[in-house]
Amino acid sequence: MRAIFVQIKCEMGQAYRVARTMADTIPELSEMHSISGQYDLMGKFYLEPEKDIGLFVVETLQTVPGVKDTYTLQTFNAFSATRD
């Protein structure tokens, strides 16, 4: 599995509705956060290695009612603190 982060700009007043719709209908969604700045939401999605990122974003995320724009970040490595 590989992770991508997608920032989502929503139509006015639609951010929570978009977040709930995605949480309820998109199995690849791991986390969805409301954020400040140019975008309203940021989602973390886990995709199978053979899944096309562009098609996933265009056909799955951008077609959710209330989504106005997206900005996708592809990840390479994940790092975490070591615990004793």
Side-chain angles (χ1 to χ4, degrees):
M1 300 287 264
R2 63 182 168 182
I4 63 169
F5 289 86
V6 181
Q7 295 180 335
I8 302 160
K9 187 178 294 185
C10 302
E11 299 291 341
M12 294 294 290
Q14 298 297 306
Y16 279 46
R17 183 172 292 125
V18 168
R20 176 55 38 211
T21 298
M22 289 187 179
D24 290 344
T25 63
I26 300 174
E28 294 87 352
L29 177 63
S30 171
E31 302 172 30
M32 180 65 73
H33 300 269
S34 57
I35 60 173
S36 62
Q38 292 183 358
Y39 291 84
D40 304 302
L41 302 169
M42 182 165 59
K44 181 179 185 181
F45 301 86
Y46 282 102
L47 304 181
E48 296 292 337
E50 67 278 357
K51 191 146 193 155
D52 184 285
I53 294 171
L55 284 176
F56 173 76
V57 171
V58 170
E59 294 179 352
T60 305
L61 304 183
Q62 291 181 352
T63 59
V64 171
V67 172
K68 187 174 180 178
D69 191 18
T70 60
Y71 181 78
T72 304
L73 300 166
Q74 184 175 350
T75 65
F76 301 111
N77 294 307
F79 301 91
S80 60
T82 56
R83 306 284 183 223
D84 292 331

